[in-house]
Amino acid sequence: PIFITIPLAVGIGIFFMILLGVTHPPAGGNPIIVIIGSASFDYILSPIIIGSIIVLFFGVILNRFILKKEYPKK
């Protein structure tokens, strides 16, 4: 049932964010959108993963090459 699936998916997502130290509360909305919209596996690959890779790429470029900071920290 959807009333169990949504909180479980959001909880698992937030658990992994806390575990990896990358907590971003608005990202908890992604599982809700995927479940309510009955999105396919292509939806997860296209906007979510590709968007995350683009954000990470620009974060590295900005911090390492423009701001001269150590990113990601070792």
Side-chain angles (χ1 to χ4, degrees):
I2 199 165
F3 65 88
I4 294 175
T5 308
I6 291 176
L8 190 61
V10 172
I12 291 170
I14 291 174
F15 169 77
F16 280 110
M17 284 188 271
I18 291 171
L19 183 72
L20 297 171
V22 292
T23 308
H24 181 66
N30 286 338
I32 297 170
I33 293 168
V34 170
I35 293 169
I36 290 178
S38 299
S40 66
F41 190 69
D42 292 336
Y43 178 80
I44 296 172
L45 286 177
S46 294
I48 296 174
I49 293 181
I50 293 174
S52 298
I53 291 170
I54 291 170
V55 168
L56 182 63
F57 175 75
F58 281 108
V60 170
I61 297 293
L62 175 71
N63 283 293
R64 279 196 179 177
F65 301 114
I66 297 173
L67 299 177
K68 306 292 185 198
K69 293 181 179 179
E70 181 183 351
Y71 182 83
K73 293 186 179 195
K74 297 175 184 176

